[in-house]
């Protein structure tokens, strides 16, 4: 097996999901006695939360580049960032290392393209739902994305940051997400992109009104393939 580097701590709840499911994925393929060789660096998220200014994003880029370089030096053969939102600086991070970076948007886009999905909606943190860097990268895989609702984007962002990233699951928020998804499904789309690791705590990707592409699940599957040498 090949060792994979994981930049985590963005949030700890997200990192726990990645660590658990990378190991479960390896166990499923090789047997319950096996586990995934992972080098994990958990960052201090209070420096990286709800970034809004260019200066804050520049600092985040520097933090992630330094983390990536440490993981490569420690023996990682590929890199994963355990957060959708931090992929805003993924290209800069990838350029700073000589090992591959498994990009969450590309893995998701390729999966949806292979499944023949042409129109979708995205839900996640505010920057993921609204900013061009995420949406255009998905569009690059042949997808048409439904427009986002600003009030809905703000409400989902608050649920993610104020509850889920702290490990809190609130039933009222579960009902709110169910209503949001029902409303989104009325648009002319074929699928929903669940573009926040934490949202899986409220949204069941396997039990919804339309197909849900859980970016974390897809990203983790790519990580397991890399570890076992089955990528591409």
């Amino acid at each position: 097996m090949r060792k994979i580097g994981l930049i985590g701590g963005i949030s700890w709840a997200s990192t726990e999901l990645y660590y658990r499911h990378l190991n479960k994925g390896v166990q499923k393929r090789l047997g319950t006695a096996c586990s995934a060789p992972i080098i994990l660096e958990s960052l201090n998220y209070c420096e990286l939360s709800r970034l809004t200014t260019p200066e804050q994003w520049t600092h985040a880029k520097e933090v992630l580049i330094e983390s990536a370089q440490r993981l490569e030096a420690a023996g990682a053969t590929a890199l994963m960032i355990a957060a959708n939102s931090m992929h805003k600086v993924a290209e800069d991070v990838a350029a700073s290392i000589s090992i591959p970076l498994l990009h969450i948007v590309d893995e998701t886009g390729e999966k949806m393209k292979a499944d023949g999905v042409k129109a979708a909606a995205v839900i996640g943190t505010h920057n993921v739902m609204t900013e061009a860097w995420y949406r255009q990268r998905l569009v690059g895989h042949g997808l048409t994305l439904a427009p986002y609702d600003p009030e809905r984007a703000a409400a989902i962002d608050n649920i993610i940051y104020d509850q889920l990233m702290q490990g809190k699951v609130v039933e009222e928020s579960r009902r709110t997400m169910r209503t949001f998804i029902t409303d989104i499904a009325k648009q002319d789309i074929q699928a929903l992109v669940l573009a926040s690791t934490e949202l899986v705590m409220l949204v069941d990707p396997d039990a919804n009104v339309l197909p849900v592409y859980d970016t974390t699940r897809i990203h983790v599957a790519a990580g397991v393939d890399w570890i076992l040498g089955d990528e591409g």
Side-chain angles (χ1 to χ4, degrees):
M1 289 191 286
R2 294 186 290 191
K3 191 172 294 184
I4 201 159
L6 182 64
I7 298 178
I10 327 167
S11 62
W12 67 262
S14 170
T15 307
E16 187 271 339
L17 287 169
Y18 266 85
Y19 185 81
R20 173 159 33 108
H21 288 293
L22 282 167
N23 278 290
K24 289 178 73 174
V26 167
Q27 285 185 334
K28 185 176 181 179
R29 301 266 287 274
L30 297 183
T32 55
C34 300
S35 55
I38 300 169
I39 306 175
L40 167 64
E41 178 156 297
S42 187
L43 302 178
N44 180 2
Y45 191 46
C46 69
E47 297 182 354
L48 303 170
S49 179
R50 280 184 163 160
L51 308 181
T52 56
T53 69
E55 292 77 16
Q56 288 173 330
W57 276 109
T58 295
H59 174 67
K61 178 181 69 177
E62 293 168 352
V63 169
L64 265 69
I65 285 174
E66 291 172 1
S67 178
Q69 291 173 341
R70 285 192 294 269
L71 289 169
E72 181 179 15
T77 62
L79 181 72
M80 300 177 72
I81 302 172
N84 279 270
S85 59
M86 285 296 133
H87 279 76
K88 181 171 183 174
V89 297
E91 290 186 10
D92 296 298
V93 174
S96 74
I97 54 178
S98 60
I99 58 176
L101 183 147
L102 307 183
H103 199 293
I104 196 167
V105 183
D106 291 339
E107 297 294 342
T108 301
E110 289 169 12
K111 169 66 173 168
M112 297 177 78
K113 184 176 182 179
D115 289 349
V117 177
K118 297 186 181 300
V122 176
I123 59 171
T125 58
H126 190 270
N127 76 314
V128 164
M129 289 185 71
T130 65
E131 294 182 14
W133 66 270
Y134 197 96
R135 298 176 67 85
Q136 289 178 355
R137 196 157 187 129
L138 272 179
V139 169
H141 291 275
L143 285 166
T144 298
L145 297 181
Y148 62 88
D149 177 273
E151 291 185 7
R152 186 186 295 136
I156 294 173
D157 191 78
N158 287 334
I159 289 171
I160 293 170
Y161 277 102
D162 298 339
Q163 298 171 19
L164 301 181
M165 285 189 177
Q166 300 173 38
K168 299 176 183 177
V169 178
V170 179
E171 285 305 311
E172 181 180 353
S173 296
R174 192 189 304 277
R175 291 190 292 270
T176 297
M177 289 304 307
R178 190 177 298 122
T179 299
F180 285 165
I181 291 173
T182 300
D183 291 341
I184 291 169
K186 295 174 183 176
Q187 300 178 82
D188 187 19
I189 58 173
Q190 298 168 274
L192 182 71
V193 179
L194 196 65
S196 166
T197 301
E198 292 85 6
L199 277 177
V200 76
M201 298 162 69
L202 291 179
V203 179
D204 183 353
D206 299 317
N208 252 289
V209 292
L210 76 171
V212 174
Y213 284 79
D214 177 6
T215 58
T216 303
R217 181 184 294 186
I218 295 166
H219 202 202
V220 165
V224 172
D225 284 346
W226 177 268
I227 289 168
L228 299 179
D230 296 337
E231 78 292 345

